[in-house]
């Protein structure tokens, strides 16, 4: 049996998690949280990062930081996970969905401007499968209309756009360390990137239940008090320790994923040439992080047949996202702007194949053989 996912685990996590367990501080913002944040600030070249319990929580913080109010509009793709939308809906926003590009499955940057109204507050690009959106175009639109850009970079840790790490262009960006992502903080976890320094101090307050506790710990105020709205957006040190171990092994984890990704990609070149499927496209100026390997087949019926074929061989292939604009909550809280030329049709063609740190070459060969067998 080959599952769709296994959480990344190198074996070095035990040591770090045990150290966190035996330390005198297991609650948030201890030594491992600080080590992780410093690592990201250095690797990504960004000014400020804050570890959070999930990417969803990082996006909730972003929605509070940019002051989303009832009636504000937020533009995003419909082809994404619910967590791209929920944090803004929780603040009362209406979601405006825009079609995707069929090559990358990312928001079509050329359709964003037409969806802007005088209520628009933010654009939320999603870097699907760790392939960056066209951030230069999106930031130019945001500048022209004075909008905020919050990057849903959940899948894009250590992916690159024009040779710079993904997550440092928007005013804010959010990453996920869920067990299905490239690096995990023990199952659940996230990170908020603050590129616009105006948000730094308020972000620390929101994350600490609305108090200025962080300033107090740094000795900058002599007592701490309730300053603003907030919640508990701090992960435990056990989570941070697990993640820190994976960051120290990030080259190994990344290389392993890249090897698996390339193996799939090369194996399916011929099927693509013969018109049986489409392989993922990575634009020239983007470097993906091997987060996901997917293929797109002819149509929904072919996909249903392929998935049940693979299931027979106990291969955990899956599909995802029911486009948000067609979901019950999506219709309640949002609307599609413009045509759905690609979102529905392309999402129905997509199949994700097993790809995780510990998958072996033999297992990948097995999956490839069964996919090829289906088309034969
Ligand atoms: C995984 C994912 C999320 C949610 O991440 P959590 O850490 O589970 O909250 C949000 N958006 C996208 C695009 C994702 O893939």
């Amino acid at each position: 049996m080959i599952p769709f996912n296994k959480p990344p685990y190198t074996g070095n996590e035990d040591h770090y998690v045990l150290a966190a367990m035996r330390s005198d501080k297991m609650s948030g913002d201890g030594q491992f949280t600080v080590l992780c944040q410093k690592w990201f600030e250095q690797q990504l070249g960004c000014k400020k990062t804050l570890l959070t319990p999930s990417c969803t929580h990082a996006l909730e913080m972003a929605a509070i930081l940019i002051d989303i109010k009832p009636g504000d509009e937020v533009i995003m793709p419909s082809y994404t996970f619910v967590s791209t939308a929920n944090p803004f809906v929780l603040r009362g926003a209406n979601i405006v969905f825009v079609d995707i590009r069929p090559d990358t499955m990312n928001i079509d940057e050329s359709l964003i401007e037409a969806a802007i109204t005088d209520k628009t507050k933010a654009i939320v690009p999603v870097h699907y499968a760790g392939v960056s959106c066209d951030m230069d175009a999106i930031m130019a639109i945001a500048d022209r209309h004075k909008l905020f850009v919050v990057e849903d970079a959940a899948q894009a840790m250590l992916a690159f756009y024009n040779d710079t790490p993904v997550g440092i262009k928007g005013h804010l960006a959010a990453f996920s360390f869920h067990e299905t992502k490239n690096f995990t903080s023990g199952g659940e976890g996230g990170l908020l990137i603050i590129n616009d320094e105006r948000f730094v101090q308020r972000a620390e307050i929101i994350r600490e239940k609305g108090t200025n506790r962080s300033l107090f710990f740094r000795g900058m105020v002599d007592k701490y008090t309730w300053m603003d709205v907030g919640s508990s957006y701090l992960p435990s040190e056990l989570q941070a320790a697990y993640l820190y171990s994976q960051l120290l092994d990030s080259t190994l984890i990344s290389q392993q994923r890249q090897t698996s990704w390339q193996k799939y990609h090369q194996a399916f070149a011929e099927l693509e040439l013969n018109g049986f499927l489409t392989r993922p496209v990575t634009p020239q100026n983007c470097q993906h992080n091997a987060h996901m390997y997917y293929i797109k087949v002819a149509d929904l019926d072919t996909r249903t047949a392929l998935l049940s074929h693979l299931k027979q061989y106990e291969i955990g292939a899956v599909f995802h996202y029911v486009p948000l604009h067609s979901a019950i909550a999506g219709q309640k809280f949002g609307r599609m702007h413009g045509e759905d030329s690609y979102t529905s049709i392309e999402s129905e063609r997509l199949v994700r194949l097993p790809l995780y740190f510990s998958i072996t070459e033999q297992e990948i060969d097995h999956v490839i053989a069964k996919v090829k067998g289906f088309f034969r």
Side-chain angles (χ1 to χ4, degrees), residues 53-57 59 80-81 83-84 126 152 154-155 175-178 180-181 188-190 291 321:
S54 68
C55 177
T56 308
H57 280 139
L59 289 167
T80 185
F81 187 54
S83 287
T84 315
V126 180
D152 182 341
Q155 305 178 2
F175 288 90
S176 174
F177 306 119
H178 184 261
T180 52
K181 304 303 200 284
E188 303 278 355
H291 170 60
Y321 309 135

Side-chain angles (χ1 to χ4, degrees), residues 64 122 134 172 188 212:
I64 298 171
D134 188 345
L172 298 158
E188 303 278 355
N212 56 352

Side-chain angles (χ1 to χ4, degrees), residues 4 10 94 130 142 173 188 253 256 263 305 349:
F4 170 66
T10 66
N94 296 320
E188 303 278 355
I253 294 172
Q256 196 92 349
K263 201 166 170 58
R349 299 173 56 203

Side-chain angles (χ1 to χ4, degrees), residues 156-190:
M157 184 49 75
L158 302 187
F160 289 82
Y161 171 78
N162 287 337
D163 298 321
T164 56
V166 169
I168 61 174
K169 293 264 181 195
H171 300 86
L172 298 158
F175 288 90
S176 174
F177 306 119
H178 184 261
E179 68 180 18
T180 52
K181 304 303 200 284
N182 290 21
F183 310 102
T184 185
S185 42
E188 303 278 355

